């Protein structure tokens, strides 16, 4: 085979070229800065960290690693890597779109002071690894600011209870330095307050993505209140709580003032990518409450919804005359969605 040393950026599809992949990686591991690879079987993943002679591979300059798995079955046997092997000592960005294949903390060794972004498929096995090897123990990754837990429909997370138990374990392990957290599980909302331990609320989350979770107005206000550094929240709108009397009047916000104002001095954006017909009015009322209760609130970003119905609710709040001092914010809600 041709020599191919000196590569800094490599994108590879391992459908038919495993031998070539092994050769290229072996030649260029010491110079690669970015590696994106797609696997169709589990066994070749071993060649990320061992060459064809079972010698460990060290990517001494690698900053970005993206791995896709297109196989149909979960791993029957996890890959064990000797404790002395540190394959990715300078890794900053790790995106892993498949079930975690290792029996240990292989991907997290040696990069405790460099890892900044982790986007990974979330399974009970991964939580077990994090816990056993203390991956996030006492801020082991102090520069980690973005954590995205990706759902795998083929994993063991098949019902609400599985989600809750797994998330509860994960929240206890998450680095306190994390500023962006994405949790794509549809059951996160219903159990969010029992899942997140009390210590979680004092952490530095600035952006929280719960895009498949539905929150009532009071649940959303409580969550924003408990995360004082949060600037952006992505979630689905839920119903307006029974204890809030909205009727045909938007004066309900006055009743929330005493308990919630100021809701947050940093919160700016609420995002929802799906707003079904029955939740358009709750979404509008939620936007009004967030805008009035949050001094720095600037925008609601909705998608796939009845824009005219939403704007009618905002217009009602503008015309009622109760919130003249907040008129600029309400007009922004009306114009910019």
């Amino acid at each position: 085979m041709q020599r191919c040393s000196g590569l800094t950026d490599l994108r590879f599809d391992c459908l038919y070229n495993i031998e070539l992949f092994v050769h290229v990686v072996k030649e260029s591991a010491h110079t690669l800065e970015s590696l994106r690879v797609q696997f169709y079987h589990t066994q070749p993943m071993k060649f990320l960290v061992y060459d064809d002679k079972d010698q460990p591979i060290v990517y001494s300059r690698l900053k970005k690693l993206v791995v896709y798995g297109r196989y149909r079955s979960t791993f029957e046997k996890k890959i064990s890597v000797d404790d002395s092997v540190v394959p990715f000592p300078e890794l900053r960005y790790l995106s892993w779109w498949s079930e975690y294949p290792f029996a240990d903390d292989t991907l997290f060794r040696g990069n405790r002071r460099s890892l900044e972004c982790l986007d990974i498929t979330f399974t009970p096995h991964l939580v077990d690894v994090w816990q056993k090897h203390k991956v996030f123990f006492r801020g082991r990754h102090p520069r980690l600011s973005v954590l995205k837990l990706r759902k795998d429909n083929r994993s063991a997370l098949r019902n609400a209870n599985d989600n809750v138990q797994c998330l509860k374990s994960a929240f206890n392990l998450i680095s306190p330095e994390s500023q962006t957290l994405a949790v794509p599980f549809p059951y996160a909302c219903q159990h969010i307050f029992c899942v997140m331990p009390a210590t979680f609320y004092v952490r530095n989350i600035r952006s929280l993505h719960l895009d498949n979770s539905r929150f009532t107005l009071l649940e959303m206000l409580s969550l924003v209140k408990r995360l004082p550094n949060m600037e952006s929240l992505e979630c689905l709108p839920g119903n307006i709580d029974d204890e809030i009397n909205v009727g045909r009047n938007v004066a309900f916000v006055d009743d929330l003032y005493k308990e919630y104002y100021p809701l947050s001095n940093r919160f700016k954006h609420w995002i929802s990518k799906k707003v079904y017909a029955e939740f358009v009015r709750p979404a509008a009322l939620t936007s009004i409450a967030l805008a009035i209760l949050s001094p720095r609130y600037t925008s609601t970003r909705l998608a796939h919804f009845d824009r005219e119905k939403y704007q009618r609710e905002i217009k009602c709040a503008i015309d009622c005359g109760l919130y003249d001092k907040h008129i600029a914010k309400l007009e922004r809600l009306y114009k910019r969605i």
Side-chain angles (χ1 to χ4, degrees):
M1 290 186 181
Q2 275 187 316
R3 294 190 63 82
C4 49
S5 59
L7 295 177
T8 58
D9 188 344
L10 177 62
R11 301 185 181 193
F12 207 96
D13 189 316
C14 289
L15 181 56
Y16 302 113
N17 300 305
I18 299 300
E19 290 185 5
L20 180 59
F21 172 74
V22 173
H23 171 72
V24 172
V25 165
K26 184 177 180 179
E27 290 279 321
S28 299
H30 64 291
T31 58
L32 280 175
E33 296 180 6
S34 176
L35 174 61
R36 185 187 299 262
V37 59
Q38 183 160 292
F39 292 101
Y40 294 82
H41 306 285
T42 60
Q43 188 271 340
M45 285 191 176
K46 176 184 177 182
F47 294 118
L48 267 178
V49 292
Y50 285 110
D51 64 19
D52 52 340
K53 296 181 180 179
D54 276 338
Q55 294 300 307
I57 299 173
V58 177
Y59 301 81
S60 56
R61 297 184 181 181
L62 194 71
K63 305 292 190 299
K64 182 175 183 178
L65 174 63
V66 180
V67 174
Y68 298 93
R70 300 296 292 271
Y71 41 83
R72 293 184 178 274
S73 60
T74 56
F75 292 91
E76 294 183 1
K77 184 178 181 180
K78 304 300 179 184
I79 302 169
S80 295
V81 178
D82 190 272
D83 290 343
S84 63
V85 178
V86 182
F88 309 105
E90 297 296 327
L91 201 60
R92 295 180 184 175
Y93 180 97
L94 172 59
S95 182
W96 195 275
W97 292 57
S98 72
E99 185 176 349
Y100 189 75
F102 301 102
D104 44 49
D105 60 341
T106 298
L107 294 181
F108 304 98
R109 294 176 187 169
N111 48 48
R112 58 178 298 176
R113 300 200 178 279
S114 63
L115 192 64
E116 298 173 355
C117 177
L118 175 60
D119 181 354
I120 194 164
T121 300
F122 187 65
T123 64
H125 169 65
L126 179 65
V127 173
D128 290 343
V129 168
W130 283 357
Q131 193 164 20
K132 179 180 178 180
H133 295 275
K134 299 182 179 179
V135 170
F136 293 121
F137 183 68
R138 292 186 179 178
R140 180 175 169 180
H141 291 89
R143 297 185 64 180
L144 183 66
S145 61
V146 178
L147 176 59
K148 298 181 180 181
L149 305 178
R150 190 173 299 281
K151 184 181 179 183
D152 182 2
N153 292 326
R154 295 163 297 189
S155 77
L157 297 180
R158 295 175 183 152
N159 56 54
N161 187 60
D162 286 337
N163 281 310
V164 170
Q165 295 306 316
C166 207
L167 281 172
K168 188 172 183 179
S169 298
F171 280 131
N172 280 303
L173 299 171
I174 288 171
S175 172
E177 288 76 21
S178 297
Q179 296 178 5
T180 297
L181 174 63
V183 183
F185 300 103
Y187 298 103
C189 162
Q190 292 91 327
H191 305 277
I192 198 75
F193 299 111
C194 67
V195 169
M196 288 183 176
T199 53
F200 176 83
Y201 294 117
V202 300
R203 303 193 183 189
N204 299 319
I205 297 296
R206 293 185 182 178
S207 182
L208 181 60
H209 301 264
L210 303 168
D211 53 331
N212 289 317
S213 295
R214 193 173 300 284
F215 286 79
T216 69
L217 174 57
L218 290 183
E219 287 175 337
M220 197 180 302
L221 295 180
S222 296
L223 184 59
V224 175
K225 192 79 171 177
R226 291 171 186 243
L227 295 173
N229 292 310
M230 184 165 65
E231 299 176 1
S232 176
L233 172 64
E234 181 178 342
C235 67
L236 299 176
N239 289 313
I240 301 300
D241 307 81
D242 292 339
E243 56 265 46
I244 299 178
N245 182 22
V246 293
R248 302 297 302 168
N249 196 315
V250 294
F252 73 95
V253 182
D254 287 343
D255 299 330
L256 301 173
Y257 240 78
K258 184 176 181 180
E259 182 175 356
Y260 290 103
Y261 189 86
L263 181 64
S264 168
N265 288 317
R266 294 195 175 187
F267 190 62
K268 299 177 182 179
H269 313 290
W270 171 44
I271 304 164
S272 182
K273 296 179 180 178
K274 293 175 287 187
V275 182
Y276 299 111
E278 66 268 31
F279 293 110
V280 173
R281 185 169 190 244
L285 297 177
T286 297
S287 296
I288 292 168
L290 291 174
I292 292 174
L293 298 175
S294 303
R296 298 188 64 188
Y297 195 79
T298 59
S299 67
T300 297
R301 303 169 189 172
L302 308 180
H304 305 294
F305 70 108
D306 186 333
R307 184 180 298 268
E308 289 185 5
K309 184 176 180 181
Y310 175 89
Q311 289 182 321
R312 281 199 302 269
E313 296 292 341
I314 303 297
K315 188 72 161 53
C316 178
I318 294 173
D319 294 343
C320 75
L322 295 174
Y323 303 113
D324 287 346
K325 64 180 179 180
H326 303 290
I327 199 72
K329 284 188 174 184
L330 296 180
E331 287 179 343
R332 278 201 300 269
L333 291 180
Y334 184 81
K335 296 175 182 178
R336 296 170 57 193
I337 304 171

